[in-house]
Amino acid sequence: MSNLTAENTPPFTFVLVHGSGSNAYGWSPVVAELGLRGHRAVAVDLPGHGPGAHFPVSYQAPQDLERLRLEPSPLTGTTLADFAAHVASVVRRAHRNGPVVLAGQSLGGVTLNATADLVPELISHLVYVSALCPAKRASVNELLATPEAASSHIFRMTPVPTPPELGVTRVNWRSNDPAFFRIAKEAMAADYSDAEVRAMLNILEPDESAAIGASDGRGLPHRWGRIPRTFVRFTEDRTLPPALQDLMIREADELTPDNPFRVRSLTAPHIGPRDPALLADELERVARLCR
Protein backbone atom coordinates (compact mmCIF):
# COMPACT_ATOMS: atom_id res chain seq x y z
CA MET A 1 0.00 0.00 0.00
CA SER A 2 1.28 3.46 -0.83
CA ASN A 3 1.83 6.21 1.72
CA LEU A 4 -0.58 8.59 0.02
CA THR A 5 -3.34 9.47 2.48
CA ALA A 6 -6.26 11.85 2.80
CA GLU A 7 -3.94 14.26 4.68
CA ASN A 8 -1.49 14.80 1.81
CA THR A 9 -3.66 14.63 -1.29
CA PRO A 10 -6.49 16.85 -2.53
CA PRO A 11 -10.06 15.62 -1.95
CA PHE A 12 -10.38 13.80 -5.26
CA THR A 13 -13.44 11.82 -6.23
CA PHE A 14 -12.82 8.66 -8.24
CA VAL A 15 -15.72 8.00 -10.62
CA LEU A 16 -15.60 4.38 -11.79
CA VAL A 17 -17.28 2.96 -14.91
CA HIS A 18 -17.97 -0.76 -15.40
CA GLY A 19 -17.66 -2.88 -18.52
CA SER A 20 -20.04 -4.94 -20.63
CA GLY A 21 -22.68 -6.94 -18.78
CA SER A 22 -21.40 -5.66 -15.47
CA ASN A 23 -22.54 -3.01 -13.00
CA ALA A 24 -21.30 -0.85 -10.15
CA TYR A 25 -20.96 -3.90 -7.92
CA GLY A 26 -17.99 -5.02 -10.01
CA TRP A 27 -16.02 -2.11 -8.55
CA SER A 28 -17.08 -2.82 -4.94
CA PRO A 29 -13.76 -4.26 -3.69
CA VAL A 30 -11.84 -1.27 -5.08
CA VAL A 31 -14.40 1.24 -3.76
CA ALA A 32 -14.15 -0.34 -0.31
CA GLU A 33 -10.35 -0.25 -0.40
CA LEU A 34 -10.29 3.39 -1.48
CA GLY A 35 -12.82 4.29 1.20
CA LEU A 36 -10.75 2.61 3.91
CA ARG A 37 -7.81 4.74 2.78
CA GLY A 38 -9.85 7.91 3.19
CA HIS A 39 -10.73 8.54 -0.44
CA ARG A 40 -14.05 9.30 -2.10
CA ALA A 41 -15.18 6.94 -4.83
CA VAL A 42 -18.43 6.34 -6.65
CA ALA A 43 -19.10 3.45 -9.01
CA VAL A 44 -21.63 4.25 -11.72
CA ASP A 45 -24.40 1.97 -12.99
CA LEU A 46 -24.72 2.73 -16.69
CA PRO A 47 -28.27 2.99 -18.13
CA GLY A 48 -29.90 -0.42 -18.21
CA HIS A 49 -27.50 -1.83 -15.62
CA GLY A 50 -27.48 -2.34 -11.87
CA PRO A 51 -30.95 -1.78 -10.38
CA GLY A 52 -32.18 -1.06 -13.92
CA ALA A 53 -30.85 -4.29 -15.39
CA HIS A 54 -33.05 -6.64 -17.38
CA PHE A 55 -33.10 -10.31 -16.39
CA PRO A 56 -35.51 -12.08 -18.77
CA VAL A 57 -37.84 -14.65 -17.21
CA SER A 58 -36.36 -17.14 -19.65
CA TYR A 59 -32.93 -16.46 -18.11
CA GLN A 60 -34.07 -17.72 -14.72
CA ALA A 61 -34.11 -21.36 -13.66
CA PRO A 62 -35.39 -23.45 -15.29
CA GLN A 63 -34.16 -21.68 -18.41
CA ASP A 64 -36.09 -21.52 -21.65
CA LEU A 65 -33.28 -21.19 -24.18
CA GLU A 66 -35.51 -20.66 -27.23
CA ARG A 67 -37.47 -17.90 -25.52
CA LEU A 68 -34.21 -16.39 -24.26
CA ARG A 69 -33.08 -16.03 -27.87
CA LEU A 70 -36.12 -13.90 -28.78
CA GLU A 71 -37.14 -12.10 -25.59
CA PRO A 72 -37.11 -8.27 -26.02
CA SER A 73 -34.79 -6.09 -23.96
CA PRO A 74 -35.15 -2.52 -22.68
CA LEU A 75 -31.52 -1.98 -23.71
CA THR A 76 -32.59 -2.01 -27.36
CA GLY A 77 -31.79 1.41 -28.74
CA THR A 78 -29.53 2.44 -25.85
CA THR A 79 -26.61 4.40 -27.30
CA LEU A 80 -23.10 5.43 -26.38
CA ALA A 81 -24.44 8.97 -26.12
CA ASP A 82 -26.86 7.76 -23.43
CA PHE A 83 -23.98 6.22 -21.48
CA ALA A 84 -21.83 9.34 -21.83
CA ALA A 85 -24.63 11.73 -20.80
CA HIS A 86 -25.27 9.66 -17.67
CA VAL A 87 -21.62 9.54 -16.63
CA ALA A 88 -21.16 13.23 -17.42
CA SER A 89 -24.02 14.04 -15.04
CA VAL A 90 -22.23 12.09 -12.30
CA VAL A 91 -18.95 13.87 -13.06
CA ARG A 92 -20.67 17.26 -12.86
CA ARG A 93 -22.06 16.47 -9.40
CA ALA A 94 -18.79 15.00 -8.17
CA HIS A 95 -16.80 17.98 -9.44
CA ARG A 96 -18.69 20.30 -7.11
CA ASN A 97 -16.69 18.70 -4.31
CA GLY A 98 -13.26 18.85 -5.98
CA PRO A 99 -11.25 17.29 -8.82
CA VAL A 100 -12.44 14.11 -10.53
CA VAL A 101 -10.46 11.10 -11.72
CA LEU A 102 -12.57 9.11 -14.20
CA ALA A 103 -11.69 5.42 -14.56
CA GLY A 104 -13.21 2.69 -16.69
CA GLN A 105 -12.63 -1.02 -17.23
CA SER A 106 -13.10 -3.10 -20.38
CA LEU A 107 -15.98 -1.73 -22.52
CA GLY A 108 -16.24 1.14 -20.04
CA GLY A 109 -13.26 2.72 -21.78
CA VAL A 110 -15.46 3.73 -24.73
CA THR A 111 -17.75 5.58 -22.34
CA LEU A 112 -14.68 7.34 -20.91
CA ASN A 113 -13.83 8.63 -24.39
CA ALA A 114 -17.35 9.89 -25.01
CA THR A 115 -17.70 11.43 -21.54
CA ALA A 116 -14.35 13.19 -21.85
CA ASP A 117 -15.55 14.80 -25.08
CA LEU A 118 -18.56 16.20 -23.20
CA VAL A 119 -16.87 17.55 -20.05
CA PRO A 120 -13.08 17.68 -20.52
CA GLU A 121 -12.77 20.67 -18.22
CA LEU A 122 -14.21 18.67 -15.30
CA ILE A 123 -11.88 15.66 -15.49
CA SER A 124 -8.38 15.82 -14.02
CA HIS A 125 -7.23 12.41 -15.24
CA LEU A 126 -8.55 9.45 -17.23
CA VAL A 127 -7.64 5.89 -16.19
CA TYR A 128 -8.17 3.01 -18.62
CA VAL A 129 -8.10 -0.25 -16.67
CA SER A 130 -7.46 -2.83 -19.39
CA ALA A 131 -10.14 -0.86 -21.23
CA LEU A 132 -11.13 -0.34 -24.84
CA CYS A 133 -9.93 2.97 -26.22
CA PRO A 134 -10.64 3.61 -29.91
CA ALA A 135 -8.39 6.33 -31.27
CA LYS A 136 -7.48 5.85 -34.92
CA ARG A 137 -9.98 3.02 -35.42
CA ALA A 138 -13.54 4.19 -35.00
CA SER A 139 -15.15 1.50 -32.91
CA VAL A 140 -14.74 -1.42 -30.58
CA ASN A 141 -15.78 -3.71 -33.40
CA GLU A 142 -12.95 -2.38 -35.55
CA LEU A 143 -10.46 -2.90 -32.73
CA LEU A 144 -11.63 -6.49 -32.26
CA ALA A 145 -11.08 -7.11 -35.97
CA THR A 146 -7.35 -6.35 -35.74
CA PRO A 147 -4.67 -9.05 -35.76
CA GLU A 148 -3.75 -7.96 -32.22
CA ALA A 149 -7.19 -9.10 -31.04
CA ALA A 150 -7.15 -12.44 -32.84
CA SER A 151 -6.15 -14.43 -29.76
CA SER A 152 -8.94 -12.96 -27.62
CA HIS A 153 -11.00 -15.59 -25.82
CA ILE A 154 -14.04 -13.38 -26.37
CA PHE A 155 -14.45 -15.07 -29.75
CA ARG A 156 -14.78 -18.43 -28.00
CA MET A 157 -17.59 -17.23 -25.69
CA THR A 158 -20.58 -17.75 -27.97
CA PRO A 159 -23.42 -15.32 -27.18
CA VAL A 160 -27.10 -16.20 -27.34
CA PRO A 161 -28.03 -16.00 -31.07
CA THR A 162 -30.52 -13.13 -30.83
CA PRO A 163 -31.96 -11.61 -34.03
CA PRO A 164 -30.26 -8.35 -35.13
CA GLU A 165 -33.43 -6.32 -34.63
CA LEU A 166 -33.27 -7.07 -30.91
CA GLY A 167 -30.27 -4.76 -30.77
CA VAL A 168 -28.52 -6.48 -27.88
CA THR A 169 -25.63 -8.80 -27.26
CA ARG A 170 -26.96 -11.42 -24.83
CA VAL A 171 -24.78 -13.84 -22.90
CA ASN A 172 -26.15 -16.71 -20.86
CA TRP A 173 -23.92 -16.40 -17.81
CA ARG A 174 -26.12 -18.96 -16.03
CA SER A 175 -25.49 -21.66 -18.61
CA ASN A 176 -25.05 -25.13 -17.16
CA ASP A 177 -22.69 -26.11 -19.97
CA PRO A 178 -19.29 -27.02 -18.44
CA ALA A 179 -17.55 -25.97 -21.65
CA PHE A 180 -19.03 -22.45 -21.39
CA PHE A 181 -17.91 -22.17 -17.77
CA ARG A 182 -14.38 -23.24 -18.69
CA ILE A 183 -14.15 -20.74 -21.54
CA ALA A 184 -15.56 -17.89 -19.42
CA LYS A 185 -13.04 -18.64 -16.70
CA GLU A 186 -10.14 -18.73 -19.14
CA ALA A 187 -11.30 -15.51 -20.78
CA MET A 188 -11.80 -13.40 -17.67
CA ALA A 189 -10.41 -14.96 -14.53
CA ALA A 190 -8.02 -17.79 -15.30
CA ASP A 191 -6.14 -17.64 -12.00
CA TYR A 192 -9.29 -17.43 -9.85
CA SER A 193 -10.90 -20.46 -8.22
CA ASP A 194 -14.02 -22.03 -9.72
CA ALA A 195 -16.03 -20.78 -6.75
CA GLU A 196 -14.82 -17.22 -7.31
CA VAL A 197 -15.67 -17.42 -11.00
CA ARG A 198 -19.20 -18.68 -10.23
CA ALA A 199 -19.69 -15.77 -7.85
CA MET A 200 -18.56 -13.38 -10.60
CA LEU A 201 -20.87 -14.91 -13.20
CA ASN A 202 -23.82 -14.53 -10.83
CA ILE A 203 -23.41 -10.76 -10.64
CA LEU A 204 -23.10 -10.30 -14.40
CA GLU A 205 -26.09 -9.22 -16.48
CA PRO A 206 -27.14 -10.98 -19.69
CA ASP A 207 -27.80 -7.98 -21.94
CA GLU A 208 -25.62 -5.26 -23.42
CA SER A 209 -26.63 -2.81 -26.12
CA ALA A 210 -25.13 -3.92 -29.42
CA ALA A 211 -24.89 -0.25 -30.42
CA ILE A 212 -22.00 0.39 -28.03
CA GLY A 213 -19.52 -1.80 -29.88
CA ALA A 214 -20.56 -0.43 -33.26
CA SER A 215 -20.53 3.25 -32.30
CA ASP A 216 -17.79 5.68 -33.22
CA GLY A 217 -16.02 5.80 -29.86
CA ARG A 218 -13.00 7.89 -30.81
CA GLY A 219 -12.19 10.74 -28.46
CA LEU A 220 -11.74 14.16 -30.00
CA PRO A 221 -8.07 15.22 -29.84
CA HIS A 222 -8.93 18.76 -28.71
CA ARG A 223 -11.25 17.57 -25.92
CA TRP A 224 -10.60 13.99 -24.77
CA GLY A 225 -7.03 14.30 -26.05
CA ARG A 226 -6.09 17.16 -23.76
CA ILE A 227 -6.81 15.27 -20.51
CA PRO A 228 -3.88 13.46 -18.85
CA ARG A 229 -4.42 9.72 -19.04
CA THR A 230 -3.11 6.46 -17.66
CA PHE A 231 -3.49 2.96 -19.08
CA VAL A 232 -3.28 0.11 -16.55
CA ARG A 233 -2.27 -2.95 -18.59
CA PHE A 234 -3.32 -6.39 -17.38
CA THR A 235 -0.56 -8.68 -18.59
CA GLU A 236 -2.61 -11.90 -18.18
CA ASP A 237 -5.74 -10.57 -19.87
CA ARG A 238 -7.12 -13.10 -22.36
CA THR A 239 -10.17 -11.01 -23.30
CA LEU A 240 -8.21 -7.90 -24.28
CA PRO A 241 -4.79 -9.43 -24.98
CA PRO A 242 -1.71 -7.33 -24.13
CA ALA A 243 -1.00 -6.92 -27.85
CA LEU A 244 -4.40 -5.24 -28.29
CA GLN A 245 -3.88 -3.08 -25.21
CA ASP A 246 -0.52 -1.96 -26.61
CA LEU A 247 -2.09 -1.20 -30.00
CA MET A 248 -4.67 1.07 -28.37
CA ILE A 249 -2.01 2.84 -26.32
CA ARG A 250 0.18 3.35 -29.39
CA GLU A 251 -2.61 4.65 -31.61
CA ALA A 252 -3.89 7.04 -28.95
CA ASP A 253 -0.37 8.38 -28.45
CA GLU A 254 0.02 8.88 -32.20
CA LEU A 255 -3.23 10.87 -32.21
CA THR A 256 -2.13 13.14 -29.34
CA PRO A 257 1.69 12.95 -29.26
CA ASP A 258 1.92 15.86 -26.81
CA ASN A 259 -0.22 13.99 -24.29
CA PRO A 260 0.79 10.31 -24.33
CA PHE A 261 -0.54 7.61 -22.06
CA ARG A 262 1.22 7.02 -18.78
CA VAL A 263 1.43 3.22 -18.74
CA ARG A 264 1.40 0.87 -15.75
CA SER A 265 1.25 -2.94 -15.80
CA LEU A 266 -0.28 -5.39 -13.35
CA THR A 267 -0.11 -9.17 -13.48
CA ALA A 268 -3.85 -9.75 -13.68
CA PRO A 269 -6.58 -11.32 -15.85
CA HIS A 270 -9.44 -9.36 -17.37
CA ILE A 271 -11.45 -8.88 -14.17
CA GLY A 272 -8.40 -7.54 -12.38
CA PRO A 273 -6.07 -8.57 -9.58
CA ARG A 274 -7.39 -10.68 -6.75
CA ASP A 275 -6.10 -8.09 -4.30
CA PRO A 276 -8.03 -4.81 -4.83
CA ALA A 277 -5.24 -2.96 -3.03
CA LEU A 278 -3.08 -3.30 -6.14
CA LEU A 279 -5.55 -1.39 -8.30
CA ALA A 280 -6.25 1.09 -5.49
CA ASP A 281 -2.50 1.75 -5.36
CA GLU A 282 -2.55 2.69 -9.05
CA LEU A 283 -5.48 5.05 -8.57
CA GLU A 284 -3.70 6.66 -5.63
CA ARG A 285 -0.64 7.19 -7.78
CA VAL A 286 -2.83 9.00 -10.30
CA ALA A 287 -4.17 11.24 -7.53
CA ARG A 288 -0.60 12.07 -6.55
CA LEU A 289 0.14 13.10 -10.14
CA CYS A 290 -2.83 15.46 -10.10
CA ARG A 291 -1.74 17.36 -7.00
Side-chain angles (χ1 to χ4, degrees):
M1 184 183 299
S2 73
N3 293 322
L4 188 63
T5 65
E7 286 77 28
N8 58 22
T9 187
F12 277 85
T13 301
F14 297 97
V15 176
L16 310 172
V17 180
H18 62 79
S20 178
S22 190
N23 48 57
Y25 185 78
W27 281 103
S28 291
V30 175
V31 170
E33 181 66 26
L34 289 170
L36 290 170
R37 298 182 187 196
H39 299 294
R40 293 193 300 238
V42 56
V44 179
D45 281 309
L46 293 171
H49 295 272
H54 176 58
F55 293 90
V57 173
S58 55
Y59 182 68
Q60 315 301 326
Q63 290 193 322
D64 182 340
L65 297 182
E66 181 56 28
R67 184 177 173 190
L68 182 62
R69 189 179 72 82
L70 300 171
E71 195 160 340
S73 173
L75 272 166
T76 301
T78 302
T79 66
L80 180 58
D82 296 328
F83 281 10
H86 180 68
V87 176
S89 70
V90 175
V91 169
R92 288 188 185 98
R93 292 186 63 189
H95 191 264
R96 296 172 190 168
N97 301 311
V100 172
V101 172
L102 180 62
Q105 200 268 339
S106 192
L107 188 63
V110 186
T111 298
L112 259 61
N113 285 13
T115 303
D117 280 344
L118 292 178
V119 289
E121 71 283 358
L122 303 184
I123 302 168
S124 293
H125 206 101
L126 294 165
V127 184
Y128 292 76
V129 182
S130 197
L132 287 151
C133 181
K136 289 190 168 183
R137 297 162 209 269
S139 68
V140 169
N141 291 349
E142 288 187 23
L143 284 169
L144 292 178
T146 62
E148 289 81 359
S151 65
S152 173
H153 282 43
I154 197 170
F155 301 120
R156 299 173 57 196
M157 253 189 328
T158 307
V160 176
T162 55
E165 59 268 22
L166 210 58
V168 297
T169 300
R170 179 169 287 163
V171 180
N172 185 8
W173 302 115
R174 294 179 180 171
S175 171
N176 63 2
D177 181 357
F180 175 84
F181 177 84
R182 183 177 66 254
I183 292 168
K185 178 178 179 178
E186 290 174 358
M188 297 186 291
D191 64 342
Y192 283 63
S193 70
D194 285 0
E196 289 170 319
V197 174
R198 290 191 184 94
M200 174 195 70
L201 295 180
N202 273 296
I203 67 167
L204 294 179
E205 301 165 3
D207 288 359
E208 188 58 77
S209 171
I212 308 305
S215 298
D216 189 333
R218 290 172 291 187
L220 298 172
H222 65 288
R223 296 183 70 79
W224 158 85
R226 77 188 202 216
I227 305 169
R229 58 182 186 258
T230 290
F231 199 105
V232 181
R233 296 171 71 253
F234 287 168
T235 62
E236 303 302 313
D237 195 332
R238 297 178 183 174
T239 296
L240 301 183
L244 178 59
Q245 297 175 57
D246 292 340
L247 173 69
M248 293 186 290
I249 293 166
R250 184 169 64 251
E251 292 190 340
D253 290 353
E254 290 170 355
L255 189 65
T256 58
D258 294 332
N259 181 33
F261 265 115
R262 169 182 172 270
V263 180
R264 302 283 297 177
S265 293
L266 292 177
T267 303
H270 189 63
I271 66 167
R274 301 174 77 123
D275 182 359
L278 296 175
L279 193 46
D281 284 345
E282 295 302 330
L283 292 171
E284 280 196 317
R285 290 185 178 101
V286 166
R288 182 185 291 132
L289 288 173
C290 295
R291 282 191 299 178

